[in-house]
Amino acid sequence: MNNSEGRLGEFERHLTGGFEHGKLMFLENSDPSIGTELVMFFMDVEYDPVRVTFDPEGMASIHSDGHNWHMLSADQLMMLSDMCEEAVRMWEKWDEEHQDDG
C-alpha cells in the first residue's frame, strides 16, 4: 500500500466515524429499541460517506445522515446487491450464535 492509499483509507475512516469502508459489520445501536444492526459504510461517487443497514431478509436501507441525496454508480449498486446476499448469510449465522441468549 502506498502513502496515498493509506491516507485515503484514513480519510474514509474519518468520514465514516472510524469504521472501515466497504465491510459488513454488526454494531449495537445506542437506541435499545433497535438493538443490533448489520451496517456497512462506503463513499458515494461524490465522496460523501454512505451508511447502509441490512435486515435479515436482505433488504438494504440507505441512510442520508444529513445529506439530501447520495449518488451511486452502477458498480456501487451491484456491490450493494451482493452485500444484501451476504447480509442474509451473516444474519443467519448471527441468529445461530445467539439462539441461547434469551
Side-chain angles (χ1 to χ4, degrees):
M1 175 183 303
N2 65 37
N3 285 341
S4 64
E5 288 174 319
R7 289 182 182 149
L8 183 59
E10 288 175 21
F11 180 63
E12 291 171 351
R13 282 187 295 282
H14 170 73
L15 291 175
T16 58
F19 295 105
E20 189 174 343
H21 167 194
K23 180 180 177 185
L24 285 169
M25 63 194 98
F26 286 104
L27 299 176
E28 285 299 318
N29 192 294
S30 59
D31 181 346
S33 68
I34 295 175
T36 301
E37 292 183 298
L38 184 55
V39 180
M40 181 181 71
F41 297 91
F42 68 98
M43 309 313 267
D44 72 6
V45 297
E46 294 184 321
Y47 231 70
D48 292 320
V50 178
R51 178 174 59 98
V52 183
T53 56
F54 298 86
D55 74 9
E57 288 77 37
M59 296 291 153
S61 296
I62 300 172
H63 302 270
S64 62
D65 291 341
H67 298 280
N68 291 328
W69 62 80
H70 286 291
M71 293 183 66
L72 304 176
S73 68
D75 287 340
Q76 288 173 317
L77 292 169
M78 289 188 298
M79 181 243 340
L80 281 175
S81 176
D82 293 341
M83 291 297 172
C84 287
E85 293 175 12
E86 179 64 21
V88 170
R89 290 187 288 274
M90 289 179 70
W91 273 116
E92 288 171 352
K93 184 177 179 182
W94 188 90
D95 285 341
E96 289 173 8
E97 293 172 356
H98 294 87
Q99 279 181 351
D100 298 328
D101 289 354

